[in-house]
Protein backbone atom coordinates (compact mmCIF):
# COMPACT_ATOMS: atom_id res chain seq x y z
CA UNK A 1 0.00 0.00 0.00
CA UNK A 2 1.28 3.47 -0.90
CA UNK A 3 1.40 5.83 2.11
CA UNK A 4 -1.20 8.15 0.53
CA UNK A 5 -3.50 5.35 -0.65
CA UNK A 6 -7.17 5.65 0.25
CA UNK A 7 -7.81 2.97 2.85
CA UNK A 8 -11.24 2.11 4.26
CA UNK A 9 -11.25 0.45 7.68
CA UNK A 10 -14.72 -1.03 8.26
CA UNK A 11 -15.52 -1.36 11.97
CA UNK A 12 -13.01 1.30 13.09
CA UNK A 13 -14.67 1.81 16.48
CA UNK A 14 -14.39 -1.86 17.40
CA UNK A 15 -11.45 -3.49 19.16
CA UNK A 16 -9.79 -4.76 15.96
CA UNK A 17 -10.71 -1.89 13.63
CA UNK A 18 -9.42 0.73 16.09
CA UNK A 19 -6.15 -1.19 16.46
CA UNK A 20 -5.75 -1.37 12.65
CA UNK A 21 -6.29 2.41 12.39
CA UNK A 22 -3.67 2.98 15.14
CA UNK A 23 -1.21 0.70 13.31
CA UNK A 24 -1.80 2.34 9.92
CA UNK A 25 -1.29 5.81 11.42
CA UNK A 26 1.86 4.63 13.18
CA UNK A 27 3.23 3.43 9.81
CA UNK A 28 2.47 6.78 8.14
CA UNK A 29 -0.73 6.01 6.22
CA UNK A 30 -2.72 9.23 6.24
CA UNK A 31 -5.69 8.78 3.91
CA UNK A 32 -7.86 6.52 6.04
CA UNK A 33 -11.62 6.67 5.66
CA UNK A 34 -14.13 5.42 8.21
CA UNK A 35 -17.88 5.37 8.90
CA UNK A 36 -19.61 4.56 12.16
CA UNK A 37 -22.37 1.94 12.22
CA UNK A 38 -24.87 4.79 12.61
CA UNK A 39 -23.52 6.63 9.56
CA UNK A 40 -23.40 3.50 7.39
CA UNK A 41 -25.18 0.27 8.27
CA UNK A 42 -23.20 -2.27 6.25
CA UNK A 43 -26.19 -4.63 6.16
CA UNK A 44 -28.00 -2.15 3.89
CA UNK A 45 -27.01 -2.98 0.33
CA UNK A 46 -28.11 0.32 -1.27
CA UNK A 47 -26.20 2.39 1.28
CA UNK A 48 -23.05 0.29 0.88
CA UNK A 49 -23.36 0.60 -2.91
CA UNK A 50 -23.64 4.39 -2.65
CA UNK A 51 -20.70 4.65 -0.23
CA UNK A 52 -18.31 2.62 -2.42
CA UNK A 53 -19.40 4.37 -5.63
CA UNK A 54 -18.67 7.74 -4.01
CA UNK A 55 -15.50 6.95 -2.05
CA UNK A 56 -13.87 4.22 -4.19
CA UNK A 57 -11.34 3.12 -1.57
CA UNK A 58 -8.18 1.51 -2.98
CA UNK A 59 -7.72 -0.82 -0.01
CA UNK A 60 -10.23 -2.25 2.48
CA UNK A 61 -9.78 -3.88 5.89
CA UNK A 62 -13.08 -5.60 6.69
CA UNK A 63 -13.10 -5.62 10.52
CA UNK A 64 -16.81 -4.88 10.97
CA UNK A 65 -18.88 -7.82 12.19
CA UNK A 66 -21.44 -8.88 14.73
CA UNK A 67 -19.09 -10.31 17.36
CA UNK A 68 -19.56 -11.93 20.74
CA UNK A 69 -18.48 -14.63 23.14
CA UNK A 70 -19.82 -18.14 23.50
CA UNK A 71 -23.20 -17.16 25.02
CA UNK A 72 -23.88 -14.26 22.63
CA UNK A 73 -23.15 -16.56 19.69
CA UNK A 74 -25.18 -19.54 20.86
CA UNK A 75 -28.23 -17.50 21.90
CA UNK A 76 -28.51 -15.56 18.62
CA UNK A 77 -27.53 -18.01 15.88
CA UNK A 78 -29.91 -16.49 13.34
CA UNK A 79 -28.74 -12.90 13.94
CA UNK A 80 -25.07 -13.88 13.82
CA UNK A 81 -25.58 -15.62 10.49
CA UNK A 82 -27.76 -12.97 8.84
CA UNK A 83 -25.83 -9.85 9.89
CA UNK A 84 -22.39 -11.25 9.21
CA UNK A 85 -23.28 -12.88 5.92
CA UNK A 86 -25.09 -9.76 4.68
CA UNK A 87 -22.52 -7.18 5.68
CA UNK A 88 -19.53 -9.10 4.39
CA UNK A 89 -21.19 -9.88 1.03
CA UNK A 90 -22.17 -6.22 0.64
CA UNK A 91 -18.69 -4.89 1.44
CA UNK A 92 -16.67 -7.44 -0.56
CA UNK A 93 -19.00 -7.20 -3.56
CA UNK A 94 -19.03 -3.40 -3.69
CA UNK A 95 -15.26 -3.25 -3.15
CA UNK A 96 -14.81 -5.48 -6.21
CA UNK A 97 -17.38 -3.58 -8.32
CA UNK A 98 -15.62 -0.31 -7.56
CA UNK A 99 -12.09 -1.45 -8.37
CA UNK A 100 -10.66 -1.90 -4.86
CA UNK A 101 -7.06 -3.11 -5.40
CA UNK A 102 -6.81 -5.26 -2.30
CA UNK A 103 -9.14 -6.28 0.51
CA UNK A 104 -8.49 -8.10 3.76
CA UNK A 105 -11.36 -10.09 5.24
CA UNK A 106 -11.14 -10.96 8.94
CA UNK A 107 -12.62 -14.29 10.01
CA UNK A 108 -12.00 -16.32 13.14
CA UNK A 109 -10.37 -19.58 14.21
CA UNK A 110 -13.86 -21.01 14.88
CA UNK A 111 -14.22 -21.68 11.12
CA UNK A 112 -12.25 -24.92 11.56
CA UNK A 113 -13.89 -28.23 12.50
CA UNK A 114 -14.58 -28.75 16.20
CA UNK A 115 -12.40 -31.85 16.35
CA UNK A 116 -9.73 -30.73 13.85
CA UNK A 117 -6.23 -32.14 14.45
CA UNK A 118 -4.27 -29.71 16.64
CA UNK A 119 -2.61 -27.35 15.99
CA UNK A 120 -5.04 -26.49 13.19
CA UNK A 121 -3.57 -25.89 9.76
CA UNK A 122 -5.29 -23.68 7.16
CA UNK A 123 -5.82 -26.84 5.08
CA UNK A 124 -8.23 -28.38 7.63
CA UNK A 125 -11.00 -25.99 6.57
CA UNK A 126 -14.24 -27.84 5.69
CA UNK A 127 -12.94 -31.26 6.69
CA UNK A 128 -15.41 -31.88 9.53
CA UNK A 129 -18.35 -30.65 11.61
CA UNK A 130 -18.32 -27.22 13.21
CA UNK A 131 -18.69 -26.38 16.91
CA UNK A 132 -22.43 -25.91 17.56
CA UNK A 133 -22.14 -22.85 19.85
CA UNK A 134 -20.77 -20.74 16.99
CA UNK A 135 -21.91 -22.66 13.91
CA UNK A 136 -23.82 -19.69 12.44
CA UNK A 137 -20.94 -17.25 12.85
CA UNK A 138 -18.47 -19.78 11.45
CA UNK A 139 -20.63 -20.46 8.39
CA UNK A 140 -20.88 -16.72 7.69
CA UNK A 141 -17.10 -16.34 8.04
CA UNK A 142 -16.44 -19.35 5.77
CA UNK A 143 -18.72 -17.73 3.16
CA UNK A 144 -16.75 -14.45 3.32
CA UNK A 145 -13.45 -16.26 2.96
CA UNK A 146 -14.79 -18.28 0.03
CA UNK A 147 -16.27 -15.22 -1.68
CA UNK A 148 -12.80 -13.60 -1.65
CA UNK A 149 -11.30 -16.80 -3.05
CA UNK A 150 -13.96 -17.06 -5.77
CA UNK A 151 -13.52 -13.41 -6.83
CA UNK A 152 -9.79 -14.05 -7.12
CA UNK A 153 -10.41 -17.15 -9.22
CA UNK A 154 -13.12 -15.71 -11.48
CA UNK A 155 -12.03 -12.07 -11.78
CA UNK A 156 -8.34 -12.05 -10.81
CA UNK A 157 -8.72 -9.87 -7.72
CA UNK A 158 -6.18 -9.81 -4.88
CA UNK A 159 -8.51 -10.29 -1.91
CA UNK A 160 -7.06 -12.07 1.11
CA UNK A 161 -8.48 -13.45 4.33
CA UNK A 162 -6.97 -13.97 7.77
CA UNK A 163 -8.22 -16.14 10.63
CA UNK A 164 -7.26 -14.72 14.02
CA UNK A 165 -7.34 -16.70 17.23
CA UNK A 166 -9.18 -15.28 20.32
CA UNK A 167 -8.19 -11.60 20.67
CA UNK A 168 -8.11 -9.12 23.56
CA UNK A 169 -6.90 -5.61 24.29
CA UNK A 170 -7.95 -1.94 24.25
CA UNK A 171 -11.57 -1.22 23.22
CA UNK A 172 -12.71 -4.75 24.04
CA UNK A 173 -16.32 -5.48 24.94
CA UNK A 174 -16.64 -6.02 28.72
CA UNK A 175 -20.33 -6.97 28.77
CA UNK A 176 -20.80 -9.54 31.58
CA UNK A 177 -22.73 -12.07 29.46
CA UNK A 178 -22.02 -11.23 25.83
CA UNK A 179 -18.26 -10.71 25.88
CA UNK A 180 -15.42 -13.15 25.27
CA UNK A 181 -13.74 -14.86 28.19
CA UNK A 182 -10.77 -12.52 28.75
CA UNK A 183 -12.67 -9.23 29.05
CA UNK A 184 -15.36 -11.05 31.08
CA UNK A 185 -12.73 -12.25 33.56
CA UNK A 186 -11.05 -8.84 33.78
CA UNK A 187 -14.36 -7.27 34.74
CA UNK A 188 -15.49 -10.05 37.09
CA UNK A 189 -12.21 -10.28 39.03
CA UNK A 190 -11.90 -6.49 39.23
CA UNK A 191 -15.43 -6.15 40.61
CA UNK A 192 -14.80 -9.02 43.06
CA UNK A 193 -11.59 -7.35 44.27
CA UNK A 194 -13.33 -3.99 44.76
CA UNK A 195 -16.28 -5.64 46.57
CA UNK A 196 -13.98 -7.85 48.70
CA UNK A 197 -15.86 -10.95 47.43
CA UNK A 198 -14.60 -14.30 48.82
CA UNK A 199 -15.38 -16.23 45.63
CA UNK A 200 -15.86 -15.74 41.90
CA UNK A 201 -17.72 -18.15 39.61
CA UNK A 202 -16.53 -18.74 36.06
CA UNK A 203 -18.27 -20.57 33.23
CA UNK A 204 -17.99 -24.20 32.23
CA UNK A 205 -15.44 -26.66 33.62
CA UNK A 206 -12.23 -24.64 33.09
CA UNK A 207 -10.74 -27.50 31.02
CA UNK A 208 -11.04 -26.08 27.45
CA UNK A 209 -7.81 -24.86 25.92
CA UNK A 210 -7.56 -21.46 24.22
CA UNK A 211 -4.95 -19.31 22.51
CA UNK A 212 -4.90 -15.49 22.90
CA UNK A 213 -3.34 -12.76 20.75
CA UNK A 214 -3.01 -9.12 21.85
CA UNK A 215 -4.93 -6.91 19.42
CA UNK A 216 -2.05 -4.51 18.65
CA UNK A 217 0.03 -7.51 17.53
CA UNK A 218 -2.92 -8.62 15.39
CA UNK A 219 -3.15 -5.17 13.76
CA UNK A 220 0.60 -5.22 13.07
CA UNK A 221 0.16 -8.62 11.38
CA UNK A 222 -2.82 -7.38 9.31
CA UNK A 223 -0.90 -4.41 7.87
CA UNK A 224 2.15 -6.63 7.32
CA UNK A 225 0.11 -9.22 5.39
CA UNK A 226 -1.72 -6.59 3.36
CA UNK A 227 1.73 -5.54 2.11
CA UNK A 228 3.35 -8.96 1.93
CA UNK A 229 0.79 -11.68 1.18
CA UNK A 230 -1.40 -12.61 -1.77
CA UNK A 231 -3.20 -15.92 -2.15
CA UNK A 232 -6.55 -17.70 -2.05
CA UNK A 233 -5.84 -19.72 1.08
CA UNK A 234 -6.43 -17.96 4.40
CA UNK A 235 -3.63 -17.23 6.91
CA UNK A 236 -3.90 -18.18 10.59
CA UNK A 237 -3.02 -15.36 13.00
CA UNK A 238 -2.04 -16.44 16.48
CA UNK A 239 0.79 -17.15 18.87
CA UNK A 240 0.84 -20.93 18.64
CA UNK A 241 0.63 -21.07 22.47
CA UNK A 242 -2.32 -22.23 24.54
CA UNK A 243 -3.47 -22.58 28.14
CA UNK A 244 -6.55 -23.94 29.90
CA UNK A 245 -9.35 -21.59 30.90
CA UNK A 246 -8.55 -22.51 34.53
CA UNK A 247 -4.94 -21.37 34.03
CA UNK A 248 -6.25 -18.21 32.38
CA UNK A 249 -8.49 -17.39 35.37
CA UNK A 250 -5.48 -17.80 37.70
CA UNK A 251 -3.39 -15.47 35.53
CA UNK A 252 -6.10 -12.80 35.37
CA UNK A 253 -6.63 -13.05 39.16
CA UNK A 254 -2.86 -12.58 39.66
CA UNK A 255 -2.66 -9.51 37.38
CA UNK A 256 -5.69 -7.91 39.03
CA UNK A 257 -4.68 -8.86 42.56
CA UNK A 258 -7.77 -10.92 43.39
CA UNK A 259 -6.96 -13.53 46.05
CA UNK A 260 -10.35 -15.22 46.70
CA UNK A 261 -11.59 -18.63 45.58
CA UNK A 262 -12.43 -19.48 41.93
CA UNK A 263 -15.50 -21.68 41.40
CA UNK A 264 -16.99 -23.20 38.21
CA UNK A 265 -20.52 -23.33 36.80
CA UNK A 266 -20.68 -26.44 34.56
CA UNK A 267 -24.21 -25.52 33.42
CA UNK A 268 -22.54 -22.91 31.15
CA UNK A 269 -21.10 -24.19 27.81
CA UNK A 270 -17.42 -25.10 27.42
CA UNK A 271 -17.51 -24.82 23.63
CA UNK A 272 -14.68 -26.26 21.55
CA UNK A 273 -12.36 -28.40 23.73
CA UNK A 274 -9.21 -27.13 22.03
CA UNK A 275 -8.58 -24.42 19.41
CA UNK A 276 -4.87 -23.95 18.75
CA UNK A 277 -3.76 -22.46 15.45
CA UNK A 278 -0.84 -23.76 13.45
CA UNK A 279 1.03 -20.51 12.77
CA UNK A 280 3.83 -21.94 10.64
CA UNK A 281 2.52 -20.26 7.47
CA UNK A 282 2.43 -16.85 9.21
CA UNK A 283 5.93 -17.34 10.61
CA UNK A 284 7.27 -18.45 7.23
CA UNK A 285 5.93 -15.18 5.79
CA UNK A 286 8.14 -13.37 8.34
CA UNK A 287 5.80 -12.37 11.18
CA UNK A 288 5.73 -13.38 14.87
CA UNK A 289 3.75 -12.03 17.85
CA UNK A 290 5.49 -9.76 20.40
CA UNK A 291 3.22 -9.42 23.44
CA UNK A 292 3.25 -12.26 25.98
CA UNK A 293 -0.12 -13.04 27.54
CA UNK A 294 0.61 -11.74 31.06
CA UNK A 295 1.94 -8.42 29.69
CA UNK A 296 -1.06 -8.11 27.38
CA UNK A 297 -3.50 -8.74 30.24
CA UNK A 298 -1.81 -5.91 32.20
CA UNK A 299 -2.27 -3.58 29.21
CA UNK A 300 -5.90 -4.67 28.77
CA UNK A 301 -6.60 -4.16 32.50
CA UNK A 302 -5.18 -0.62 32.26
CA UNK A 303 -7.54 0.03 29.36
CA UNK A 304 -10.48 -1.31 31.38
CA UNK A 305 -9.61 0.97 34.32
CA UNK A 306 -9.11 4.02 32.10
CA UNK A 307 -12.23 3.60 29.95
CA UNK A 308 -15.23 3.22 32.25
CA UNK A 309 -17.69 3.85 29.39
CA UNK A 310 -16.20 0.95 27.44
CA UNK A 311 -17.04 -1.37 30.31
CA UNK A 312 -20.71 -0.56 29.83
CA UNK A 313 -21.03 -1.26 26.10
N1 LIG B 1 -12.71 -10.34 19.35
C1 LIG B 1 -12.15 -11.51 19.06
O1 LIG B 1 -11.74 -12.27 19.95
C2 LIG B 1 -11.99 -11.91 17.63
C3 LIG B 1 -12.41 -11.12 16.56
N2 LIG B 1 -12.21 -11.54 15.27
C4 LIG B 1 -12.69 -10.75 14.12
O2 LIG B 1 -12.26 -9.41 14.17
C5 LIG B 1 -13.26 -8.56 13.61
C6 LIG B 1 -13.57 -7.43 14.57
O3 LIG B 1 -13.92 -7.95 15.84
P1 LIG B 1 -13.90 -7.03 17.15
O4 LIG B 1 -13.17 -5.78 16.86
O5 LIG B 1 -13.53 -7.90 18.26
O6 LIG B 1 -15.45 -6.69 17.30
P2 LIG B 1 -16.12 -5.37 17.88
O7 LIG B 1 -17.51 -5.75 18.29
O8 LIG B 1 -15.24 -4.74 18.88
O9 LIG B 1 -16.18 -4.41 16.61
C7 LIG B 1 -16.99 -4.69 15.51
C8 LIG B 1 -17.30 -3.39 14.82
O10 LIG B 1 -18.15 -3.63 13.69
C9 LIG B 1 -19.19 -2.67 13.68
N3 LIG B 1 -20.40 -3.21 13.05
C10 LIG B 1 -21.08 -4.32 13.38
N4 LIG B 1 -22.14 -4.47 12.58
C11 LIG B 1 -22.13 -3.42 11.72
C12 LIG B 1 -22.98 -3.01 10.67
N5 LIG B 1 -24.07 -3.70 10.33
N6 LIG B 1 -22.67 -1.86 10.01
C13 LIG B 1 -21.59 -1.14 10.34
N7 LIG B 1 -20.73 -1.47 11.33
C14 LIG B 1 -21.02 -2.61 12.01
C15 LIG B 1 -19.44 -2.38 15.14
O11 LIG B 1 -20.11 -1.18 15.32
P3 LIG B 1 -21.16 -1.06 16.55
O12 LIG B 1 -20.40 -1.45 17.77
O13 LIG B 1 -21.56 0.38 16.51
O14 LIG B 1 -22.24 -2.01 16.22
C16 LIG B 1 -18.03 -2.38 15.70
O15 LIG B 1 -17.43 -1.12 15.56
C17 LIG B 1 -14.46 -9.44 13.28
O16 LIG B 1 -14.46 -9.77 11.92
C18 LIG B 1 -14.22 -10.68 14.10
O17 LIG B 1 -14.74 -11.81 13.47
C19 LIG B 1 -11.62 -12.74 15.00
C20 LIG B 1 -11.20 -13.55 16.00
C21 LIG B 1 -11.36 -13.22 17.38
C1 LIG C 1 -13.28 -15.76 19.35
C2 LIG C 1 -14.28 -16.88 19.47
O1 LIG C 1 -15.09 -16.65 20.61
C3 LIG C 1 -16.15 -17.59 20.84
O2 LIG C 1 -15.68 -18.86 21.10
P1 LIG C 1 -14.99 -19.26 22.47
O3 LIG C 1 -13.53 -19.30 22.30
O4 LIG C 1 -15.62 -20.52 22.97
O5 LIG C 1 -15.40 -18.02 23.36
P2 LIG C 1 -15.37 -17.37 24.77
O6 LIG C 1 -14.22 -16.44 24.82
O7 LIG C 1 -16.71 -16.78 25.03
O8 LIG C 1 -15.18 -18.58 25.82
C4 LIG C 1 -14.00 -19.32 25.93
C5 LIG C 1 -14.09 -20.31 27.07
O9 LIG C 1 -14.06 -19.57 28.31
C6 LIG C 1 -15.07 -20.07 29.18
N1 LIG C 1 -15.47 -19.02 30.13
C7 LIG C 1 -15.28 -19.06 31.48
N2 LIG C 1 -15.81 -17.98 32.06
C8 LIG C 1 -16.33 -17.21 31.05
C9 LIG C 1 -16.99 -15.97 31.04
O10 LIG C 1 -17.25 -15.33 32.05
N3 LIG C 1 -17.37 -15.48 29.81
C10 LIG C 1 -17.10 -16.15 28.64
N4 LIG C 1 -17.47 -15.58 27.47
N5 LIG C 1 -16.49 -17.36 28.65
C11 LIG C 1 -16.10 -17.87 29.83
C12 LIG C 1 -16.17 -20.52 28.22
O11 LIG C 1 -17.06 -21.42 28.86
C13 LIG C 1 -15.34 -21.17 27.11
O12 LIG C 1 -14.97 -22.48 27.47
C14 LIG C 1 -17.08 -17.66 19.71
O13 LIG C 1 -17.84 -16.53 19.70
C15 LIG C 1 -16.36 -17.85 18.39
O14 LIG C 1 -17.23 -17.55 17.35
C16 LIG C 1 -15.10 -17.06 18.24
O15 LIG C 1 -14.70 -16.70 17.16
Amino acid sequence: MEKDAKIYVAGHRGMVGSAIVRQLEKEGYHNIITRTHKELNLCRQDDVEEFFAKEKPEYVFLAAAKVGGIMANSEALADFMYENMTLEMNVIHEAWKNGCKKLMFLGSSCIYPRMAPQPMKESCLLTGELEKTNEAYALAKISGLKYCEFLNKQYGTDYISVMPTNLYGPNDNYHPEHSHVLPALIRRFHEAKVAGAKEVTCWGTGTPLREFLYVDDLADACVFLMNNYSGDETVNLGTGKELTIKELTELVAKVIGYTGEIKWDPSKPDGTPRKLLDVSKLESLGWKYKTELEDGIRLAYDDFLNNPMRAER
Side-chain angles (χ1 to χ4, degrees), residues 172-177 179-193 200-204 206 210 212 243-258 262-264 293 297 300-301 304:
D172 210 338
N173 175 4
Y174 295 96
H175 189 283
E177 278 91 40
S179 68
H180 291 103
V181 61
L182 234 170
L185 296 182
I186 288 176
R187 180 175 184 160
R188 195 165 311 135
F189 283 112
H190 171 76
E191 289 177 352
K193 183 178 91 168
V200 156
T201 304
C202 298
W203 299 358
R210 291 290 184 274
F212 296 91
L243 77 173
T244 64
I245 294 298
K246 182 172 181 293
E247 287 165 336
L248 179 73
T249 57
E250 287 159 2
L251 191 56
V252 174
K254 177 182 154 196
V255 168
I256 288 178
Y258 172 75
I262 301 172
K263 293 201 157 176
W264 296 94
L293 184 56
I297 295 174
Y301 185 42
F304 173 84

Side-chain angles (χ1 to χ4, degrees), residues 82-144:
Y82 175 74
E83 288 182 37
N84 284 312
M85 198 86 104
T86 308
L87 82 78
E88 70 201 26
M89 288 299 148
N90 285 343
V91 172
I92 300 167
H93 187 71
E94 291 308 322
W96 164 66
K97 260 176 59 189
N98 288 283
C100 165
K101 289 186 203 162
K102 191 159 186 170
L103 175 145
M104 174 179 281
F105 171 67
L106 281 107
S108 160
S109 60
C110 71
I111 61 159
Y112 295 122
R114 178 173 206 268
M115 300 312 283
Q118 306 282 325
M120 302 181 294
K121 284 190 180 302
E122 288 85 354
S123 56
C124 76
L125 179 67
L126 294 172
T127 55
E129 279 202 28
L130 297 164
E131 157 64 27
K132 292 292 174 203
T133 55
N134 55 42
E135 191 180 15
Y137 181 74
L139 284 168
K141 292 294 187 182
I142 293 170
S143 301

Side-chain angles (χ1 to χ4, degrees), residues 133-171:
T133 55
N134 55 42
E135 191 180 15
Y137 181 74
L139 284 168
K141 292 294 187 182
I142 293 170
S143 301
L145 174 172
K146 284 287 173 188
Y147 190 44
C148 290
E149 179 188 326
F150 297 152
L151 282 172
N152 292 346
K153 289 202 161 101
Q154 190 177 347
Y155 295 108
T157 51
D158 184 8
Y159 290 1
I160 59 174
S161 66
V162 293
M163 296 302 130
T165 189
N166 292 35
L167 305 169
Y168 68 101
N171 288 338

